[in-house]
Amino acid sequence: MRFWPLAVLVGSLVMGGCADDHGSPPHTAQEQKALDDYNKMTPEQQIERAQNSPMPQGAKDALIKSIKDKNGLK
């Protein structure tokens, strides 16, 4: 699938945060565009994308949980 890099990127950011102590941009322009596109999706679309990604099941579960928690979904 062509969306797996986005899923991995988002999963990494959710799991690890994106703090940067050196003042440099936390993402490349391409990564930032992918994040912006992802953030424009509805929570349901984000969950569907996560479910269809090739990420390990544990990472999918964590990402879906974080999406649901962030948006007050059950």
Side-chain angles (χ1 to χ4, degrees):
M1 284 189 147
R2 69 176 213 208
F3 297 113
W4 73 268
L6 175 62
V8 171
L9 172 65
V10 172
S12 298
L13 292 175
V14 169
M15 299 299 282
C18 54
D20 186 349
D21 296 331
H22 303 290
S24 61
H27 316 294
T28 66
Q30 184 179 9
E31 291 170 336
Q32 188 61 50
K33 181 179 179 338
L35 282 172
D36 292 343
D37 291 344
Y38 180 82
N39 288 328
K40 290 177 186 174
M41 292 179 181
T42 66
E44 292 79 11
Q45 290 171 320
Q46 292 175 1
I47 290 169
E48 182 179 349
R49 174 75 49 90
Q51 289 171 334
N52 294 327
S53 77
M55 295 182 345
Q57 190 60 45
K60 285 183 190 184
D61 293 343
L63 179 57
I64 290 169
K65 182 182 181 325
S66 71
I67 293 167
K68 288 181 177 180
D69 290 348
K70 178 178 142 185
N71 293 285
L73 302 174
K74 291 185 178 188

